[in-house]
Amino acid sequence: MDEQPLRFDTKIAVLLRDDLAPWQRLNVTSFLVSGLGIQLPEVIGAPYEDADGVGYLPMFRQPVLIFEATKETLRAAHTRTLTRALPRAIFTADLFSTGNDTANRAAVRAVPTADLDLVGLAVYGPKGGVDKVVKGARMHP
């Protein structure tokens, strides 16, 4: 029997700056979503298993929507995540030149919020709230 698709009252969205190289888009997306599962266990589904009983790690229980935006739209989206107090992850341009997790955190800590050179943002929350955050962005092609 076919199951009906689930409708979620929450949304996971990733916004990428529209001037990133393809490898950067993939890298930034991977880093951004990695923080959601550890901090928000409700976004993770059950582990997978194939017909031979080989187990696989669980994944998100819902789709991740990927958007692209200008630098200005990304900054506005970041501000909206802060005013709505939604769970979020950021990736700044400085992180392309760091070599490890400790250096990444130091690079973000060194810059005031208003001066962050954002290239990516992940956000999770109620569908309506996330829709307002990504306003002005377009779906990634």
Side-chain angles (χ1 to χ4, degrees), residues 11-137:
K11 188 177 274 190
I12 300 170
V14 173
L15 280 80
L16 301 171
R17 204 165 74 192
D18 60 6
D19 61 350
L20 296 179
W23 75 266
Q24 290 173 317
R25 291 171 186 251
L26 296 170
N27 184 266
V28 169
T29 300
S30 298
F31 272 95
L32 287 172
V33 299
S34 68
L36 293 177
I38 195 73
Q39 290 296 315
L40 306 160
E42 69 270 17
V43 303
I44 302 297
Y48 287 74
E49 185 177 292
D50 67 24
D52 294 322
V54 176
Y56 302 94
L57 294 172
M59 295 186 279
F60 289 127
R61 65 181 182 93
Q62 67 189 90
V64 177
L65 302 173
I66 311 294
F67 296 86
E68 67 175 6
T70 63
K71 185 175 187 172
E72 296 76 21
T73 300
L74 186 57
R75 179 169 299 289
H78 179 247
T79 300
R80 289 191 289 267
T81 65
L82 297 176
T83 60
R84 287 177 172 72
L86 293 172
R88 65 210 164 264
I90 61 166
F91 197 103
T92 66
D94 296 332
L95 301 187
F96 289 126
S97 62
T98 57
N100 60 63
D101 189 48
T102 301
N104 288 350
R105 284 193 308 280
V108 172
R109 181 176 287 286
V111 180
T113 305
D115 297 331
L116 291 169
D117 187 8
L118 298 170
V119 297
L121 169 73
V123 59
Y124 170 76
K127 193 181 290 188
V130 173
D131 287 343
K132 289 177 183 171
V133 166
V134 300
K135 183 179 178 187

